[in-house]
Amino acid sequence: MAREPGGLSADYGEIHHDASGLSVNYRAIAAAAANVCVANVKIKSPEDFGLLGLPTPRLDVLAKVDGSAVYGIYVRLLGMLYAAVRHAPVPGTEVRSLRFNAVCGMPGVVKAVRLQDAVAIVAEHYWSAKTALDALPVQWTASPDAKRY
């Protein structure tokens, strides 16, 4: 919650007066503000800008260049599994059948997940999941709302 001078705070589209407990939503204030005539407003000239137009240093460049940057894909948790997914080849196509028995004995493969329009192989390593998915026999069937291209 943003605290402002004078005991006012703004939160969830409302301005609150802490001392009185009163609040008003932004919509009511915007409607009232539209009727206010503002005179003698001086617009800041570009020479007076503090940050606009100035070069902003990228703090992540060095880590990206020297390879020390850490990305979310690098996260490894104890017992973590990986999945590879194959989506329907045509929008509106559905999985008719898959033969998990053909790949269940492959190293690291844990299970197959059948969705309406996709299949996934879950394994101990991504490469195991991808290799098993590539070898997984899947038959697709067109549903009545399949889009033809």
Side-chain angles (χ1 to χ4, degrees):
M1 185 178 293
R3 293 275 176 212
E4 298 295 329
L8 298 176
S9 60
D11 194 20
Y12 295 106
E14 292 185 338
I15 297 175
H16 306 277
H17 184 249
D18 299 335
S20 68
L22 297 173
S23 64
V24 62
N25 65 35
Y26 291 164
R27 182 178 180 178
I29 291 176
N35 296 321
V36 174
C37 181
V38 180
N40 300 326
V41 175
K42 182 182 178 218
I43 297 177
K44 191 185 266 189
S45 67
E47 296 82 35
D48 297 329
F49 291 166
L51 296 175
L52 241 65
L54 297 176
T56 306
R58 294 283 308 257
L59 303 177
D60 58 347
V61 171
L62 182 60
K64 288 179 178 177
V65 171
D66 69 13
S68 65
V70 178
Y71 299 94
I73 196 169
Y74 299 152
V75 172
R76 302 287 184 259
L77 301 173
L78 187 63
M80 185 169 155
L81 298 174
Y82 298 83
V85 180
R86 181 185 304 154
H87 293 276
V90 175
T93 304
E94 297 177 355
V95 177
R96 182 184 339 165
S97 67
L98 60 91
R99 289 190 29 234
F100 180 60
N101 290 343
V103 297
C104 67
M106 294 177 74
V109 173
V110 175
K111 71 185 283 187
V113 178
R114 178 182 176 162
L115 304 169
Q116 184 175 350
D117 61 349
V119 294
I121 296 291
V122 179
E124 294 172 1
H125 306 281
Y126 173 74
W127 192 250
S128 301
K130 183 191 178 327
T131 305
L133 183 65
D134 291 342
L136 180 68
V138 180
Q139 290 185 342
W140 304 92
T141 182
S143 67
D145 59 342
K147 295 174 177 54
R148 302 287 178 210
Y149 295 99

